[in-house]
Amino acid sequence: VPVVKYSHGASENQASAVAGSGISETNSLLSVRIKNAFMTSHSAERNISLAGLGLSVAVLYMFTAARSVVFIDSRELATVAWTLGIAHPTGYPLYTLLAWIAAHFPVEAAPVFKVNLLSVALSAAGVVVFSLLAGWIIGRHLVPAGKSAPDGTGSASPRDRGPVLVAALFGASTLAFSETYWSQSASVEVYPLHALFLVLLIRLFLASFPRLEGKQKGGSGMRPAVAHLFTYVLGLSFSNHMSTLYLAP
């Protein structure tokens, strides 16, 4: 009889432990789902904001884009784009290929205007990537020491994500409407693609290394997949403009 009572008591304790574990697991799962729902909501808000920024900038650039060639290299690059020729050194092979596709795109418009629209698209994309980079850097400075920061804005505190997003959008808008950047988006030029590569390379380089507080002991501290993507984009950037070399410091 004592053995039976002990066994019965153990079964009750075991059942209570299982029930408690189940409740704890349910609470944890619910917490994760709530967190994921919030993160998804924040990501959607950020993506909508970035899409709105990029679209607004692209539409404005399109209305202010040149309808024909302008000064300096525009005539040469437009001719090279139409004939798939070779421009002055270094030749800008990647831009030439993209501009040839744009010039021959099956849309009723002057070929040079279609290549101008390529500059519009590249400049708008550069603004969006710059906003992502600015949000990551700004949010990174708001993370308390010793705490990990989620991807995206880089902010550890949910209350900081809104201000970080606003600051990033404001910084990107300042770049978009600056005289130098805006002027390069209006005509046939290699610099819109170059500017896009610059901000993309900086973001990929920073993403190649995990945050120090989250790095495992004995690890290399590098994300191989992102690092490989960085080197690939770096090579593409060199095929567009050699001043990519200035990123080395």
Side-chain angles (χ1 to χ4, degrees):
V1 174
V3 174
V4 173
K5 288 183 178 180
Y6 176 79
S7 176
H8 180 68
S11 298
E12 289 182 349
N13 293 337
Q14 190 175 22
S16 299
V18 170
S21 176
I23 294 174
S24 177
E25 184 177 354
T26 302
N27 291 337
S28 299
L29 182 59
L30 181 61
S31 175
V32 169
R33 287 182 176 178
I34 293 175
K35 181 179 179 180
N36 289 340
F38 177 82
M39 291 297 292
T40 302
S41 174
H42 170 68
S43 299
E45 178 184 350
R46 183 191 62 186
N47 293 338
I48 292 174
S49 300
L50 291 176
L53 173 66
L55 183 61
S56 302
V57 169
V59 171
L60 182 60
Y61 283 175
M62 183 179 66
F63 281 109
T64 59
R67 264 49 184 175
S68 184
V69 294
V70 292
F71 59 96
I72 308 182
D73 297 332
S74 178
R75 296 174 178 85
E76 177 197 5
L77 293 175
T79 303
V80 167
W82 180 252
T83 62
L84 201 60
I86 301 177
H88 61 275
T90 58
Y92 314 109
L94 178 60
Y95 178 81
T96 299
L97 292 174
L98 295 176
W100 183 88
I101 295 173
H104 291 82
F105 198 76
V107 174
E108 288 296 330
V112 64
F113 180 62
K114 289 189 283 187
V115 181
N116 289 341
L117 291 182
L118 173 65
S119 295
V120 167
L122 294 173
S123 296
V127 170
V128 173
V129 178
F130 179 84
S131 180
L132 289 171
L133 173 63
W136 188 89
I137 293 176
I138 296 171
R140 195 72 183 87
H141 285 285
L142 297 178
V143 178
K147 293 186 178 181
S148 60
D151 293 333
T153 63
S155 175
S157 175
R159 66 182 180 182
D160 292 332
R161 290 174 183 148
V164 167
L165 179 59
V166 172
L169 293 176
F170 179 79
S173 299
T174 303
L175 171 68
F177 302 132
S178 63
E179 180 180 359
T180 301
Y181 193 88
W182 194 343
S183 65
Q184 296 304 308
S185 72
S187 63
V188 184
E189 256 303 347
V190 299
Y191 298 114
L193 179 59
H194 185 53
L196 173 60
F197 274 136
L198 290 182
V199 291
L200 184 58
L201 283 170
I202 294 174
R203 183 63 185 95
L204 288 174
F205 179 79
L206 294 175
S208 297
F209 300 92
R211 297 170 178 83
L212 294 178
E213 59 269 22
K215 185 174 65 174
Q216 296 180 353
K217 295 182 179 180
S220 62
M222 177 175 287
R223 295 170 177 166
V226 183
H228 293 161
L229 180 60
F230 166 77
T231 57
Y232 177 73
V233 176
L234 180 64
L236 289 178
S237 183
F238 271 116
S239 70
N240 177 64
H241 207 285
M242 290 301 294
S243 63
T244 302
L245 185 64
Y246 293 137
L247 280 177

